[in-house]
């Protein structure tokens, strides 16, 4: 019967995630030869190649992908065991990895700060990426929690709503738009600063314009909130963003949207497994922060 140790699983997973033996060694603080030797030992034990090796890339085989998925689950379970034992002693330790959708950092640092003050032994790691990427990372087990816009049902995952926000028009000082609520038709008469397709903000804005039966001229597309604000500030267009994001640019005007305003709900998603104690504690602080907002 084959027995693969947890440390060997960590090495194989690191190679798969970093795409190379050298990069995996840097992550694990091991020399490349030790990483290569560990992978070869596992392959001999299982009698199957886990990676296709080329000059430039190391890619998991079908067996390698199956191994990595199972290894992630085993490593997560081992972390839960260790964290549970430590928690039983009354001291919360460990680490939690949080995926954050781009543009949604918001009040997350305050929640993390509150948890760190309560549990200084917990290490929090942040990974910022597009929503689909952080959700995939949750499914793979490389991220414990993901803070994203809840734009639809995420199959196989638990969703916890944190807060609902209105979306507003963000306009420059010389836009000519009133401070009173405006319609999407009024906004569509101005050049529009859009976010790139696939972004949650873009999806909600597209949905609202479709519902209103209005077409807009998207003159600019960006994947950066600061860039969008700069374009608006320069008088090159208007955009629509959640009110919480618009508040970060007090020099720009925010205008309410009268009808068909896009919806915006922020939440946390995680897998349908018991959260490690550190992740559960952070989720409590996130819910507390949202409830006080």
């Amino acid at each position: 019967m084959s027995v693969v140790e947890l440390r060997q699983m960590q090495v194989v997973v690191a190679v798969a995630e970093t795409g190379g033996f050298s990069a995996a060694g840097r992550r694990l603080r091991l020399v490349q030869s030790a990483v290569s030797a560990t992978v070869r030992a596992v392959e001999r034990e299982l009698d199957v190649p886990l990676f296709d090796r080329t000059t430039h890339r190391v890619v998991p085989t079908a067996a390698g992908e199956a191994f990595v998925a199972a290894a992630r689950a085993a490593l997560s379970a081992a972390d839960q065991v260790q964290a549970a034992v430590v928690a039983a002693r009354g001291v919360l330790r460990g680490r939690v990895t949080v995926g954050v959708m781009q543009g949604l950092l918001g009040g997350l640092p305050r929640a993390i700060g509150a948890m760190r003050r309560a549990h200084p032994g917990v290490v929090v790691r942040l990974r910022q990426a597009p929503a689909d990427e952080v959700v995939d990372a949750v499914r793979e087990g490389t991220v414990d929690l993901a803070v994203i816009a809840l734009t639809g049902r995420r199959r196989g995952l638990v969703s916890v709503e944190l807060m609902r926000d209105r979306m507003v028009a963000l306009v420059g000082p010389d836009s000519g738009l009133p401070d009173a609520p405006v319609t999407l038709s009024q906004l569509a008469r101005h050049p529009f600063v859009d976010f790139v397709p696939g972004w949650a903000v873009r999806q909600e804005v597209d949905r609202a314009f479709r519902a209103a039966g209005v077409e807009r001229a998207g003159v600019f597309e960006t994947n950066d909130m600061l860039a969008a604000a700069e374009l608006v500030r320069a008088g090159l267009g208007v955009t629509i963003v959640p009110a919480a994001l618009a508040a970060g640019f007090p020099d720009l005007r925010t205008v309410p949207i009268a009808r068909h305003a896009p919806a915006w709900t922020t939440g946390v998603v995680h897998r349908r497994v018991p959260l490690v104690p550190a992740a559960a504690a952070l989720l409590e602080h996130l819910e507390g922060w949202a409830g006080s907002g």
Side-chain angles (χ1 to χ4, degrees):
M1 180 178 177
S2 299
V3 177
V4 180
E5 298 176 355
L6 290 176
R7 185 58 174 170
Q8 290 175 313
M9 294 182 192
Q10 289 176 330
V11 171
V12 174
V13 169
V15 173
E17 291 179 351
T18 62
F21 296 102
S22 297
R26 287 192 294 272
R27 174 190 287 190
L28 299 173
R29 297 184 179 178
L30 296 173
V31 295
Q32 179 182 340
S33 58
V35 174
S36 299
T38 299
V39 172
R40 286 196 301 270
V42 175
E43 291 176 325
R44 283 196 303 270
E45 180 72 18
L46 300 177
D47 193 26
V48 64
L50 298 179
F51 295 97
D52 286 327
R53 299 155 172 86
T54 67
T55 305
H56 302 291
R57 295 184 63 193
V58 177
V59 181
T61 61
E65 290 179 354
F67 180 96
V68 168
R72 283 173 175 152
L75 292 169
S76 177
D79 285 343
Q80 290 183 40
V81 169
Q82 184 177 20
V85 171
V86 173
R89 299 206 310 260
V91 179
L92 187 60
R93 297 187 182 275
R95 67 186 182 198
V96 55
T97 303
V98 185
V100 188
M101 189 180 83
Q102 289 171 320
L104 261 194
L105 196 59
L108 180 58
R110 281 178 285 167
I112 293 174
M115 194 195 74
R116 291 274 295 147
R117 288 190 292 274
H119 307 291
V122 174
V123 175
V124 180
R125 299 187 300 185
L126 290 180
R127 287 179 53 182
Q128 194 167 21
D132 288 345
E133 290 186 22
V134 293
V135 169
D136 286 344
V138 171
R139 288 196 172 100
E140 293 169 355
T142 57
V143 161
D144 298 298
L145 304 170
V147 180
I148 62 171
L150 299 181
T151 56
R153 186 177 179 184
R154 304 285 180 172
R155 185 176 300 174
L157 299 177
V158 177
S159 297
V160 180
E161 183 178 311
L162 293 180
M163 64 177 61
R164 297 188 181 189
D165 193 11
R166 61 194 175 96
M167 294 186 80
V168 297
L170 192 65
V171 306
D174 302 320
S175 68
L177 287 164
D179 291 329
V182 297
T183 65
L184 294 179
S185 295
Q186 287 175 281
L187 291 175
R189 298 186 194 121
H190 294 257
F192 211 87
V193 179
D194 263 323
F195 292 92
V196 294
W199 269 45
V201 171
R202 173 66 178 269
Q203 292 171 353
E204 294 303 320
V205 171
D206 284 348
R207 187 177 291 117
F209 273 96
R210 282 196 302 270
V214 175
E215 292 188 9
R216 67 191 185 279
V219 179
F220 300 99
E221 283 188 353
T222 179
N223 64 350
D224 181 73
M225 182 62 208
L226 292 177
E230 284 296 326
L231 291 167
V232 171
R233 188 175 289 114
L236 296 175
V238 301
T239 191
I240 295 177
V241 295
L245 291 182
F249 305 94
D251 61 312
L252 298 176
R253 284 198 304 129
T254 59
V255 181
I257 299 172
R259 295 187 300 276
H260 299 288
W264 187 257
T265 304
T266 302
V268 174
V269 297
H270 61 83
R271 289 184 298 164
R272 294 183 182 278
V273 295
L275 289 170
V276 297
L282 179 56
L283 180 56
E284 287 183 10
H285 282 279
L286 282 168
E287 292 177 305
W289 159 71
S292 64

